[in-house]
Amino acid sequence: MIWGAIRADGRRAIVKCDGIVTQHEYQRILTKGLAEIYSTRYRLMQDGATCHTASSTKQYLIQNAIRMLSDWPAQSPDINIIENLWD
């Protein structure tokens, strides 16, 4: 499995996942992948997967000052820009 992110200007990052994506694996992925493309100018968008909503992940995002896009509808692949990258 791979994790991917794409920024508004088209810059992107892809990280290979090591096995099942637990909350700790997800945080490792964010540490590696977001370092390449994230700045406080942007907001991270993620769905409601349990590794995204785990309390340790929420704490990780706060500690690393990663701004989140709130109010993103669940199960919304049609408005998720990353789906175009996968295609």
Side-chain angles (χ1 to χ4, degrees), residues 66-77:
I66 298 171
R67 295 175 2 142
M68 296 292 304
L69 178 65
S70 59
D71 301 327
W72 190 261
Q75 304 290 326
S76 57

Side-chain angles (χ1 to χ4, degrees), residues 56-75:
S56 70
T57 298
K58 290 177 184 178
Q59 200 57 25
Y60 171 91
L61 296 170
I62 292 167
Q63 289 173 344
N64 290 281
I66 298 171
R67 295 175 2 142
M68 296 292 304
L69 178 65
S70 59
D71 301 327
W72 190 261
Q75 304 290 326

Side-chain angles (χ1 to χ4, degrees), residues 5-33:
I6 187 167
R7 214 164 68 174
D9 64 3
R11 197 161 172 212
R12 48 200 172 270
I14 294 178
V15 177
K16 184 178 180 203
C17 304
D18 292 332
I20 296 171
V21 181
T22 64
Q23 58 194 343
H24 303 292
E25 172 62 5
Y26 183 58
Q27 293 161 32
R28 182 197 70 81
I29 291 165
L30 290 178
T31 298
K32 186 172 182 179

